[in-house]
Amino acid sequence: MTANEKLVLALPKGRILKELAPLLSGAGIEPEAAFNDESARQLRFATNHPNLEIVRVRSFDVATFVAFGAAHFGVAGNDVLMEFDYPELYAPVDLDIGHCRLSVAAPKELLAEEDPARWSHIRVATKYPEITRRHFAARGVQAECIKLNGAMELAPNLGLCKRIVDLVSSGATLRANGLVEVEEIAQITSRLIVNRAALKTRPGEMNGWIDRFSEVADAA
Ligand code: PRP
């Protein structure tokens, strides 16, 4: 990274973007029009700041782009931060958006018949294999994780696993698929994340953005 290259802000696709819009504008960032057009295939967007551009990627990939310094800063949930545990990432601001929880869920019908206290091994479908393994290992249970990228809620009913670990917001997806939440692993919100090397090499600019986002998050 050199001091005169443009700063790159990595933002997640999907529902967080709507919640993020007022924070971006509060921080004085106005992306070019195509950014708000979900049908646009463009992935890289100019802003009203000549030295700042935005890239739009999947939520897990925000952390990867920032950790490897391909983007200087970004927005990611602490679910993603816990899963990867990248030492290169610093998460100085809780943006207080994207509230949900990461939970273990199970088929409602099977709960009465089970005795999980006797389990030494369990199969779990999840996008979060590391968090899941750590969570179950802490109580002496070995979790065999089946990595899925979406539609986790289908897996128990089709016999793929007895548990899923996934994000729960309203709980509607679980209910619609006959599942119930049995344990909460963590409360989730979106954070501003920063590449530590960028913070060291471009402290003026990076601290400026951290301060702006932190003021906007406090004011919300
Ligand atoms: C998330 C999550 C659940 C759902 C939970 O998926 O994986 O499926 O939202 O929300 P609810 O409790 O309000 O029903 P999302 O819709 O973000 O899509 P994804 O599967 O692409 O992550």
Side-chain angles (χ1 to χ4, degrees):
M1 284 189 213
T2 58
N4 50 16
E5 78 182 297
K6 283 189 185 183
L7 283 183
V8 178
L9 172 62
L11 299 180
K13 295 183 185 181
R15 37 174 131 172
I16 290 296
L17 266 190
K18 287 196 181 67
E19 286 190 69
L20 200 52
L23 293 187
L24 283 181
S25 88
I29 299 175
E30 287 165 30
E32 65 176 300
F35 181 73
N36 296 309
D37 173 1
E38 286 182 20
S39 66
R41 303 302 297 164
Q42 191 180 330
L43 298 172
R44 211 166 166 166
F45 306 89
T47 70
N48 55 324
H49 299 269
N51 60 345
L52 177 70
E53 64 177 355
I54 293 176
V55 294
R56 196 169 57 190
V57 298
R58 284 175 188 261
S59 58
F60 273 64
D61 296 341
V62 167
T64 307
F65 274 81
V66 178
F68 284 86
H72 302 81
F73 59 144
V75 170
N78 52 313
D79 52 332
V80 175
L81 302 180
M82 284 162 66
E83 179 66 17
F84 287 129
D85 207 14
Y86 283 126
E88 299 84 357
L89 294 179
Y90 170 53
V93 185
D94 186 338
L95 297 171
D96 200 22
I97 58 169
H99 284 268
C100 58
R101 50 201 186 270
L102 185 67
S103 293
V104 183
K108 199 175 177 184
E109 287 183 354
L110 293 183
L111 274 184
E113 304 162 16
E114 292 177 345
D115 186 7
R118 297 169 59 107
W119 293 346
S120 60
H121 168 269
I122 185 171
R123 238 191 201 182
V124 187
T126 185
K127 240 194 260 191
Y128 303 90
E130 290 304 322
I131 297 175
T132 300
R133 263 191 285 275
R134 285 200 296 266
H135 175 75
F136 283 97
R139 66 180 63 164
V141 177
Q142 189 196 355
E144 179 193 347
C145 295
I146 301 178
K147 175 89 194 279
L148 292 179
N149 295 303
M152 238 70 58
E153 293 83 0
L154 274 176
N157 297 319
L158 294 177
L160 189 60
C161 56
K162 285 209 167 99
R163 295 285 185 270
I164 65 168
V165 167
D166 197 12
L167 296 179
V168 182
S169 175
S170 65
T173 311
L174 291 183
R175 277 194 299 279
N177 291 283
L179 303 176
V180 287
E181 219 173 334
V182 291
E183 236 179 318
E184 179 183 300
I185 299 178
Q187 283 284 336
I188 309 299
T189 50
S190 296
R191 318 288 163 102
L192 183 75
I193 59 167
V194 175
N195 176 280
R196 289 185 191 275
L199 191 57
K200 279 205 187 116
T201 54
R202 299 172 73 166
E205 291 165 283
M206 295 309 301
N207 281 314
W209 286 117
I210 292 171
D211 290 347
R212 280 190 189 197
F213 275 98
S214 138
E215 281 160 22
V216 174
D218 283 349

